[in-house]
Amino acid sequence: MKPVHRKPCVIANWKMHGSRQMLEIWLKQYVSGLPEENPVEVVLCPPAVYLSEARLYLNQLAKKGRIQLGAQNSYAEMTGAFTGEISPSMIREMGCHYVLAGHSERRQIFSEDDTLIARKVWAAYHADLTPIICVGETTEERNQGKTLEVICRQLAAVLPEEQLRLDPRVMVAYEPVWAIGTGLTATPLQAEEVHVAIREWLAARNRKVANEARLLYGGSVKPGNVKALLMQPNIDGVLVGSASLNAQEFLSICMACRQ
Ligand code: 13P
């Protein structure tokens, strides 16, 4: 049995998909399909340009508490001459409570390194957002038996020790790079092994934080594999990419996460 304070969490990461029309239809389908009692925390991370519209729709649908908003990215400063960037305080102002940080697509396609990710994480905490810190190994690293070493190195590089002393809002998503968008999923035991290592890494720094932190799995999560993942003692939720684009499929994932 998992501690009750680790409420299951399902996050939809739309990446660079969607449209205004899709947003409206998706939210209507999602809200109408959800039962009154929802013991799962659900977060939608659409492209940033749709955040304020999503907020307006959710206000109109008057059931806004059933889904929170998050951003897929934010910069490391609150304001300044950073053309094209969006600050964590702006994202907070849009009503978001979460932001992804260190996603492997940001690392690989946009060359974000640990130093920048660490600054983004720190700025997100300062703007009263919870960063969802993404970590994960490549196929080569797994084949070389370096998975846990890589995960702990990524955590140490971006999660400030000071933060771990001060603030229990820690959320980490384990997303093996080889499982993202490939249809390959880590087996529940492979994922649990890494989640245990993440919790032990946190516990070595702050036992309370480790106990309260929600650890998510991401990488080809579908309605058919989510239940077995969530049954693992250290998997508290999922970060969903392609399957989150279809409201019905995403709802099925949310329903499967009810304990
Ligand atoms: P997929 O679910 O499409 O594999 O994407 C996972 C992901 O990157 C979520 O952040």
Side-chain angles (χ1 to χ4, degrees):
M1 210 37 197
K2 287 177 196 165
V4 282
H5 54 260
R6 295 209 313 251
K7 189 174 182 180
C9 184
V10 182
I11 302 185
N13 175 9
W14 278 11
K15 309 191 179 183
M16 201 176 72
H17 294 289
S19 62
R20 295 176 72 194
Q21 193 191 19
M22 172 179 156
L23 179 74
E24 183 179 1
I25 295 169
W26 192 99
L27 283 172
K28 279 190 184 144
Q29 285 182 343
Y30 171 82
V31 170
S32 63
L34 205 66
E36 283 299 318
E37 285 297 307
N38 181 29
V40 177
E41 182 171 12
V42 181
V43 182
L44 172 64
C45 302
V49 285
Y50 300 134
L51 281 170
S52 64
E53 197 148 344
R55 168 62 51 219
L56 289 176
Y57 282 134
L58 290 172
N59 287 349
Q60 278 168 19
L61 293 166
K63 292 178 178 173
K64 59 180 189 241
R66 291 183 177 183
I67 187 161
Q68 312 248 24
L69 289 176
Q72 298 174 16
N73 184 31
S74 63
Y75 192 54
E77 302 285 340
M78 295 303 168
T79 185
F82 302 105
T83 302
E85 291 297 323
I86 302 174
S87 85
S89 51
M90 293 168 184
I91 284 167
R92 184 67 192 84
E93 209 183 354
M94 288 293 108
C96 293
H97 289 97
Y98 296 96
V99 62
L100 302 181
H103 192 283
S104 63
E105 286 153 16
R106 302 287 324 166
R107 291 178 194 260
Q108 293 189 335
I109 304 170
F110 301 100
S111 308
E112 288 194 5
D113 62 12
D114 285 338
T115 310
L116 177 60
I117 297 164
R119 288 177 57 220
K120 287 184 170 197
V121 166
W122 188 246
Y125 279 124
H126 277 256
D128 198 25
L129 291 168
T130 299
I132 299 155
I133 298 169
C134 303
V135 293
E137 82 287 8
T138 61
T139 309
E140 297 75 53
E141 288 162 342
R142 175 161 281 270
N143 291 343
Q144 290 165 6
K146 290 188 178 160
T147 298
L148 301 185
E149 182 191 322
V150 168
I151 302 301
C152 292
R153 185 188 52 72
Q154 289 175 338
L155 282 175
V158 305
L159 195 50
E161 298 254 342
E162 193 183 337
Q163 183 63 36
L164 286 167
R165 277 199 301 278
L166 294 175
D167 191 333
R169 286 174 308 162
V170 170
M171 222 157 163
V172 179
Y174 168 52
E175 297 207 303
V177 177
W178 47 270
I180 295 178
T182 58
L184 297 172
T185 320
T187 65
L189 288 181
Q190 280 174 327
E192 173 67 5
E193 183 195 19
V194 177
H195 282 230
V196 168
I198 295 171
R199 214 175 287 287
E200 283 173 353
W201 186 91
L202 292 170
R205 283 144 188 91
N206 186 328
R207 208 154 265 291
K208 183 171 182 293
V209 166
N211 189 32
E212 293 184 2
R214 282 183 295 173
L215 309 184
L216 315 181
Y217 168 80
S220 300
V221 172
K222 306 275 178 246
N225 58 26
V226 66
K227 222 176 172 77
L229 288 160
L230 258 289
M231 276 166 66
Q232 299 301 314
N234 286 285
I235 301 183
D236 306 306
V238 283
L239 179 49
V240 188
S242 54
S244 72
L245 297 174
N246 178 305
Q248 297 306 339
E249 211 174 336
F250 185 68
L251 264 173
S252 307
I253 292 174
C254 295
M255 300 300 274
C257 291
R258 294 153 66 100
Q259 285 178 326

